[in-house]
Amino acid sequence: MISPDLAADLPVEHDVQVLGIETSCDETGVAVFDADRGLLAHSLYSQVPVHARYGGVVPELASRDHIRKLLPLIDGTLAEAGVTGAELDGVAYTAGPGLIGALLVGGTLAEGLAMGWGIPAVAVHHMEAHLLAAMLEDPVPEFPFVALLVSGGHTMLVDVKGPGEYQVMGQTLDDAAGEAFDKTAKLLDLPYPGGPALAELATQGQAHFKFPRPMLKKPGLDFSFSGLKTAVMLQVRELEAGASLSESKRADIAKSFEEAVVDTLVAKSARAIRQTGYTGLVVAGGVGANLSLRSQLRTELGKLDAQVYYPRLEFCTDNGAMVAHAGLLRLQAGYVSTGGVVARPRWELSELQAMVSD
Ligand code: KG4
Ligand code: ZN
């Protein structure tokens, strides 16, 4: 499994370079990260065209497509970075949470390559990689901070005391924020992937519909989005009775929905900042690419003198750079994977151990 006591034998005579592989869902991401020089190269292959006609991710097709794309992507990324496999110091791969077949493709190849090159492999937690992705930017957020993790599978506020020291302060009791975006997009007949399509439609609408801001009046930091989704569904049905939904009404619904989600995420993030007294909020995960969320967070948290940190837009959604970066930190803290491929479809963030580097 994953062990901190088998200290990775990292070289001191040259820069430490790690290959990162992300295959947990529907993006094949590869990157090379250098401890001193930062990101040397990264490539992403999106499976959107593969899944689009099914309206969502088909796990078996995802696995097969990762098999097709991963090796050529690794070859190309290494060439772009000007690094050969033999010059690398480790191979990091997303070991979970995610789709089991997709994880196994990335994990098996990563472990095989590491064995062939005679270097360590390291299993990376996908949400930890998202959470630390803002550290790839300038300015780098300082610990401790609050992280708002908003992806297709997770919505949580995390007290990040240090690398690997994560305490979940609140999370969704049902749907994740990204999932709510995707389901509402489907309801509005928008193409997969729903989140970006809905956000795009929302730019043409007005927030005329007053949808609930779930759990805002209750104390605490948990979220719930299934009631909001139902409210949107009932509204759409009411409008559709006897007539098809006009373009402007669809845009208004998209805008009203987006505003309800954003208001809720912003209010709870502000509450988490007040509760901890921290001065930094790091936003991570695919929904972090939402421009309305980004601007509202900046405004509202600015009022609390807190700074908001985001990864660049392309590193909000799944990518190899965040895996290479998190893998490097884990390797430097002595974590290597032993005993074969690690693939954990379910893996709680709180199970991770603090990274203590010497
Ligand atoms: O982090 P991510 O790429 O994959 C997971 O680990 O889940 O997040 C994907 C989620 C999807 O639900 C997608 O619809 C949502 O992020 N998303 C967005 C936007 N871009 C991606 N949601 C709202 N607005 C966006 N601009
Ligand atoms: Zn993700």
Side-chain angles (χ1 to χ4, degrees):
M1 281 296 286
I2 309 147
S3 138
D5 36 53
L6 251 173
D9 202 8
L10 294 176
V12 283
E13 71 275 14
H14 73 87
D15 294 353
V16 179
Q17 294 169 339
V18 172
L19 174 71
I21 297 176
E22 158 62 37
T23 62
S24 66
C25 191
D26 58 346
E27 320 273 3
T28 317
V30 175
V32 179
F33 191 83
D34 180 299
D36 291 325
R37 291 183 291 153
L39 198 58
L40 299 186
H42 69 97
S43 324
L44 187 80
Y45 168 77
S46 167
Q47 298 185 349
V48 164
V50 176
H51 305 290
R53 65 193 177 111
Y54 302 100
V57 179
V58 183
E60 183 52 29
L61 294 184
S63 310
R64 288 185 215 167
D65 213 41
H66 286 309
I67 291 174
R68 271 192 291 270
K69 297 297 182 329
L70 191 49
L71 257 182
L73 213 57
I74 291 173
D75 282 343
T77 312
L78 286 177
E80 198 189 321
V83 176
T84 63
E87 288 167 340
L88 288 169
D89 302 292
V91 183
Y93 63 96
T94 300
L99 302 171
I100 183 66
L103 291 170
L104 279 169
V105 174
T108 308
L109 188 60
E111 292 278 357
L113 288 174
M115 189 178 283
W117 289 329
I119 54 177
V122 58
V124 169
H125 191 292
H126 182 79
M127 300 315 291
E128 174 172 72
H130 269 306
L131 197 152
L132 300 175
M135 294 175 76
L136 294 166
E137 310 302 340
D138 186 21
V140 176
E142 278 178 25
F143 299 104
F145 55 77
V146 172
L148 172 68
L149 286 181
V150 271
S151 71
H154 294 82
T155 300
M156 49 174 82
L157 280 160
V158 187
D159 177 349
V160 181
K161 295 183 196 305
E165 278 184 84
Y166 311 127
Q167 199 177 335
V168 177
M169 305 173 74
Q171 58 189 320
T172 183
L173 304 177
D174 38 59
D175 291 350
E179 195 179 356
F181 263 96
D182 294 339
K183 287 179 178 170
T184 305
K186 238 181 187 170
L187 207 70
L188 293 173
D189 288 328
L190 290 166
Y192 157 87
L198 189 144
E200 173 66 33
L201 180 62
T203 60
Q204 295 151 40
Q206 305 284 330
H208 289 318
F209 299 98
K210 289 290 160 240
F211 293 132
R213 270 65 174 152
M215 304 201 51
L216 221 50
K217 295 212 172 76
K218 288 192 188 161
L221 295 169
D222 284 336
F223 303 91
S224 163
F225 291 110
S226 69
L228 171 60
K229 184 188 63 195
T230 309
V232 176
M233 190 180 70
L234 293 174
Q235 183 66 71
V236 169
R237 272 202 201 142
E238 191 186 313
L239 290 169
E240 276 181 338
S244 65
L245 211 54
S246 70
E247 260 317 288
S248 71
K249 283 272 183 306
R250 283 174 78 237
D252 289 351
I253 288 194
K255 179 72 188 167
S256 309
F257 165 82
E258 184 185 58
E259 206 179 87
V261 175
V262 168
D263 277 358
T264 310
L265 294 174
V266 171
K268 296 266 162 144
S269 300
R271 201 178 281 179
I273 286 290
R274 279 194 296 267
Q275 200 168 303
T276 53
Y278 295 168
T279 53
L281 178 86
V282 166
V283 184
V287 183
N290 186 279
L291 296 180
S292 173
L293 174 67
R294 291 165 90 99
S295 75
Q296 210 166 310
L297 272 177
R298 195 154 274 155
T299 309
E300 291 306 315
L301 293 209
K303 293 179 190 165
L304 299 175
D305 288 328
Q307 181 147 2
V308 189
Y309 300 88
Y310 307 95
R312 71 197 81 165
L313 278 177
E314 61 182 326
F315 293 163
C316 281
T317 43
D318 293 348
N319 64 87
M322 66 179 193
V323 178
H325 169 251
L328 174 80
L329 296 184
R330 283 275 163 203
L331 268 176
Q332 286 177 323
Y335 286 77
V336 293
S337 101
T338 57
V341 181
V342 184
R344 298 186 59 180
R346 288 178 178 276
W347 188 4
E348 296 298 326
L349 201 54
S350 53
E351 288 180 49
L352 296 180
Q353 292 168 19
M355 297 183 215
V356 194
S357 27
D358 34 49

